Amino acid sequence: LAESTIWLGFGALLPILPIYFTRHGVDLPTLGVVVAAWPAARLVGEPVFGWLADRAPRRAMMITGLVLTSVFTVLPVFITGPVPFIVLRALQGLSAAMYDPAARAYLIDANPPERQGEAFGLYGAAQTGGLMLGPAIGGVAAAITGFPEVVFWVAGASLVVSAAMVWRRVPELAHLREDAARAAAADDDLAVVGSTGGNRRAAATPP
């Protein structure tokens, strides 16, 4: 549900972004740079945050990423111009990159191996469903109010709602990974002890 809400807000921006940016001094060549700043930042950020997601609490990363993405999504309403738009879009992409690897890794933590494919399928379907409905909602909201800026607020609010859902409904599972690591270490210790004992008995047995 949180994932669908995120992409609902992202989709709501799609039909409005080119109109809004060109109205605030962005020419067509620069518009391509503004739009590309988001995926470019994700391209750079996701490997880094993926590495971090293996070492930091994933729930905290998801919440932080969603809140920061919400802030940088709304700021273009107040800070306008080609350069600010590029910077804010890049920061928005980096914040989204903080969320997504942690969320995907959490799916692995939260589901047994025989259901992980199903979990990722539902995750992808939630993204697609939100992306499908979002543009219609954004276009209707802008048409009814007469203000394209309202779509930025819709997207920002959807991200805050998603962060609240994660905070409320998603428990941190880091302790489960730590328990599994401790159990594996204990098994290794037992194996070493057993092997040592067997070697001693073999050495003590007369030929």
Side-chain angles (χ1 to χ4, degrees):
L1 185 59
E3 189 66 21
S4 182
T5 306
I6 293 166
W7 283 84
L8 187 75
F10 175 71
L13 287 169
L14 291 181
I16 304 302
L17 284 179
I19 299 171
Y20 182 80
F21 289 151
T22 53
R23 283 185 179 179
H24 287 83
V26 177
D27 57 24
L28 289 180
T30 308
L31 178 62
V33 178
V34 174
V35 173
W38 186 84
R42 291 197 63 162
L43 178 66
V44 174
E46 291 216 14
V48 176
F49 288 116
W51 178 87
L52 185 61
D54 289 331
R55 293 158 177 80
R58 291 169 177 170
R59 176 176 178 268
M61 285 186 65
M62 287 189 281
I63 295 171
T64 303
L66 289 171
V67 171
L68 288 176
T69 305
S70 174
V71 171
F72 295 127
T73 296
V74 174
L75 279 179
V77 175
F78 304 100
I79 306 173
T80 61
V83 173
F85 286 156
I86 293 171
V87 172
L88 291 174
R89 287 280 292 169
L91 291 173
Q92 184 186 9
L94 282 175
S95 301
M98 182 185 300
Y99 164 82
D100 202 49
R104 292 178 184 273
Y106 189 93
L107 289 179
I108 297 175
D109 286 345
N111 292 278
E114 64 273 14
R115 297 200 64 186
Q116 288 175 3
E118 177 187 354
F120 276 100
L122 292 172
Y123 183 86
Q127 290 181 334
T128 304
L131 191 59
M132 177 183 67
L133 296 174
I137 293 173
V140 170
I144 290 175
T145 62
F147 295 101
E149 293 85 353
V150 71
V151 180
F152 291 88
W153 290 104
V154 170
S158 73
L159 290 161
V160 171
V161 169
S162 299
M165 288 181 185
V166 174
W167 176 77
R168 177 72 175 170
R169 302 295 298 274
V170 176
E172 179 59 65
L173 298 180
H175 64 284
L176 299 181
R177 297 195 303 274
E178 293 167 0
D179 290 345
R182 284 194 292 267
D187 289 342
D188 290 342
D189 291 342
L190 289 174
V192 171
V193 170
S195 175
T196 303
N199 291 338
R200 287 176 178 174
R201 286 193 296 272
T205 301

